[in-house]
Amino acid sequence: MKPIESRKDLKEYYFDKELVDSYIDERFKHPLGRILHETQVTVINESIQTYGVQDVLELAPGPGRVSLDVTGFQQGVMVDSSDNMLELAKKRLSTSANYDKWSFQLSDIFDFTTEQTFHLVYSYRFIRHLEHTKRMKMYATIHSFLKEEGLFIFDAVNFDVSSPIRQANPAVFPVYDKLYKREELINELQENGFDVLKLYSVQCRFLVQRFLNKFIKFKLDPLVYFLIRLLENEDSENPLEWVVVCRKR
Ligand SMILES: C[S@@+](CC[C@H](N)C(=O)[O-])C[C@H]1O[C@@H](n2cnc3c(N)ncnc32)[C@H](O)[C@@H]1O
């Protein structure tokens, strides 16, 4: 089956209540997913601290997986087109100390407008699902949402590692992902008005780490976590994914 690629199908895919309710447990509870989550959050929190970020815009937060752990900002806006996702985000964040800092906006991002500009726009697991024309449009929109020299953080998938895995198991990837060569990614951002400050490598020895992750069935989670973590190195040459930190030019 062809992976989901259109803007309409992508939106509708995430309306499903069952998918929404199982989203975090299925993808981020096991050690491999937890480590990915931790790196994504750490990069945002360190950037907020280093660059004195006050206001943040999160695009496509889903159930608030990342927002729940983001700290150090003064004011935040999150925009998602799925009411089920946004309701779950609100519920999960309701007990957080940062709840009052967030404004929750139900909207298609391509239709979202605001007078406000932000020090930081971030989005995980969304930009990568957009095909070329939509991605270009989204970069222009993000550029317009940012203050001068504002930061943009997102995730990108490495062609060299991911492509063979996808070819072997196409059914595991129901949604389209753009896969990049490192230089192609840097150039695409340059051409769209962003300078890449750093690419943080994540899931650096993916095939070994995925194998280790299988041992959770023997209730070895702490050991598996420890071993997978040992194999992480933010400067690794050939990871499964990068967390991209770039700045508006
Ligand atoms: C894979 S989830 C990512 C959730 C979260 N960012 C994360 O990393 O866990 C993708 C999210 O994008 C949202 N989405 C898809 N198309 C959208 C659009 N056009 N406008 C706003 N949100 C959209 C979906 O509702 C869903 O919550």
Side-chain angles (χ1 to χ4, degrees):
M1 207 176 72
K2 198 172 176 296
I4 292 169
E5 199 175 325
S6 83
R7 168 185 173 186
K8 180 170 162 286
D9 290 349
L10 180 64
K11 267 167 64 177
E12 282 174 5
Y13 182 71
Y14 291 106
F15 287 159
D16 183 73
K17 184 83 172 71
E18 218 174 287
L19 183 146
V20 170
D21 289 341
S22 62
Y23 178 82
I24 292 180
D25 281 358
E26 278 190 8
R27 294 161 179 78
F28 298 99
K29 276 272 156 35
H30 53 77
L32 193 54
R34 258 168 56 212
I35 289 171
L36 172 66
H37 170 81
E38 286 164 8
T39 304
Q40 291 182 338
V41 168
T42 301
V43 171
I44 291 178
N45 286 343
E46 286 183 0
S47 302
I48 289 175
Q49 225 179 10
T50 306
Y51 296 97
V53 167
Q54 306 257 313
D55 32 42
V56 302
L57 172 63
E58 177 167 1
L59 303 179
R65 170 180 73 84
V66 175
S67 3
L68 187 62
D69 293 331
V70 168
T71 56
F73 62 100
Q74 295 305 314
Q75 192 254 333
V77 176
M78 61 175 82
V79 186
D80 200 289
S81 56
S82 161
D83 51 356
N84 284 329
M85 282 289 194
L86 210 57
E87 277 312 308
L88 185 53
K90 262 189 214 170
K91 191 169 153 209
R92 284 167 35 80
L93 277 144
S94 62
T95 51
S96 125
N98 287 327
Y99 181 72
D100 292 336
K101 294 181 181 170
W102 284 107
S103 145
F104 300 84
Q105 301 291 326
L106 180 63
S107 171
D108 187 314
I109 294 165
F110 289 93
D111 302 329
F112 180 69
T113 55
T114 172
E115 296 286 294
Q116 197 181 346
T117 52
F118 299 86
H119 289 114
L120 166 65
V121 175
Y122 69 88
S123 188
Y124 289 126
R125 299 191 160 228
F126 173 63
I127 311 281
R128 63 199 256 173
H129 294 324
L130 305 176
E131 47 76 26
H132 184 264
T133 316
K134 290 279 174 301
R135 249 186 4 265
M136 300 304 114
K137 195 158 180 235
M138 191 44 53
Y139 289 142
T141 306
I142 291 168
H143 209 268
S144 74
F145 286 149
L146 281 170
K147 294 186 199 297
E148 284 310 301
E149 301 203 332
L151 298 175
F152 168 38
I153 300 179
F154 70 109
D155 56 330
V157 187
N158 182 0
F159 177 90
D160 290 341
V161 177
S162 195
S163 179
I165 297 168
R166 284 163 195 256
Q167 273 168 24
N169 313 284
V172 181
F173 300 93
V175 182
Y176 166 79
D177 275 318
K178 166 66 185 164
L179 308 182
Y180 292 94
K181 297 268 190 184
R182 193 186 189 98
E183 284 312 308
E184 180 193 4
L185 172 62
I186 294 170
N187 289 341
E188 180 169 297
L189 289 159
Q190 273 285 344
E191 283 162 12
N192 285 279
F194 297 97
D195 292 324
V196 172
L197 300 180
K198 177 152 174 128
L199 298 181
Y200 290 84
S201 297
V202 262
Q203 301 191 340
C204 301
R205 301 280 308 279
F206 181 69
L207 293 180
V208 181
Q209 290 171 313
R210 188 179 64 175
F211 174 73
L212 288 169
N213 205 50
K214 293 186 200 297
F215 286 83
I216 56 176
K217 66 175 175 237
F218 301 117
K219 308 256 176 286
L220 292 170
D221 291 35
L223 177 63
V224 170
Y225 177 94
F226 174 76
L227 294 173
I228 294 176
R229 171 63 76 196
L230 269 187
L231 295 169
E232 288 293 78
N233 165 12
E234 67 181 39
D235 296 316
S236 158
E237 284 294 310
N238 204 25
L240 180 69
E241 295 188 14
W242 296 282
V243 174
V244 185
V245 180
C246 49
R247 183 161 54 199
K248 173 176 171 170
R249 198 179 329 112

